[in-house]
Amino acid sequence: PSQSNPAYCQGFSPYPRCVVLLNKEDYHQKCLALLSDDKTYDKLGKKDPTAKYKKQLIAVLQEIEQEEGIDRVQYRYLYPTTEVPPKFYGLPKIHKAGTPLRPIVSSVDSITYRSARFVADILSPHPIILSHCQFTSLC
């Protein structure tokens, strides 16, 4: 239905076997409302900062390799080969009134994706229990 009517877009729900049709204008307005929250998101300038962040990441990786924190194979794996920025989208919360969106920032294929996975794999055997912790500092 969304292909035949450009006013609607097909969305996915966190619920299995559930497809949601949304009015495109409503979806875009809800996304803009989420992105306009300056406590959560920083406005970017006119220039995409991805190339700058890629250079910074490469410099950090080179430093870690020189200090023998990672070997050459790991360095090559972690080296960012693209300049794709993370993607923002919203998943509709169909169980709530007004169908608000749950914001998702997908870093898949972005410059930090492999580095984040690498760090997550190192930290995953050591879960931090966050009961009664304030998120202003690490417990």
Side-chain angles (χ1 to χ4, degrees):
S2 63
Q3 294 171 347
S4 61
N5 188 342
Y8 289 91
C9 62
Q10 182 176 339
F12 295 96
S13 170
Y15 302 105
R17 296 180 300 239
C18 184
V19 176
V20 180
L21 289 179
L22 301 168
N23 178 288
K24 272 189 182 179
E25 189 60 35
D26 290 345
Y27 177 79
H28 288 145
Q29 290 301 320
K30 289 177 182 184
C31 284
L32 288 174
L34 289 169
L35 290 170
S36 66
D37 177 7
D38 58 1
K39 292 179 183 173
T40 306
Y41 301 102
D42 290 330
K43 289 188 190 277
L44 297 177
K46 293 180 180 181
K47 187 176 179 196
D48 181 0
T50 306
K52 178 181 83 168
Y53 293 142
K54 179 180 176 181
K55 287 179 186 176
Q56 290 174 350
L57 177 58
I58 291 169
V60 168
L61 290 173
Q62 288 172 341
E63 184 179 330
I64 294 171
E65 183 191 21
Q66 289 172 356
E67 294 174 359
E68 298 181 2
I70 57 175
D71 60 27
R72 191 67 180 165
V73 172
Q74 291 170 321
Y75 174 83
R76 286 186 181 141
Y77 172 75
L78 297 171
Y79 188 92
T81 57
T82 67
E83 289 187 10
V84 178
K87 295 170 183 64
F88 175 90
Y89 61 96
L91 289 178
K93 297 180 182 180
I94 60 174
H95 60 287
K96 295 202 174 184
T99 318
L101 298 178
R102 172 177 286 114
I104 306 293
V105 179
S106 173
S107 295
V108 174
D109 296 330
S110 72
I111 59 171
T112 58
Y113 181 71
R114 287 186 174 183
S115 301
R117 293 266 327 221
F118 183 77
V119 172
D121 288 344
I122 292 170
L123 295 176
S124 64
H126 311 286
I128 298 173
I129 300 173
L130 296 176
S131 61
H132 306 295
C133 287
Q134 294 291 331
F135 289 103
T136 56
S137 65
L138 283 177
C139 299

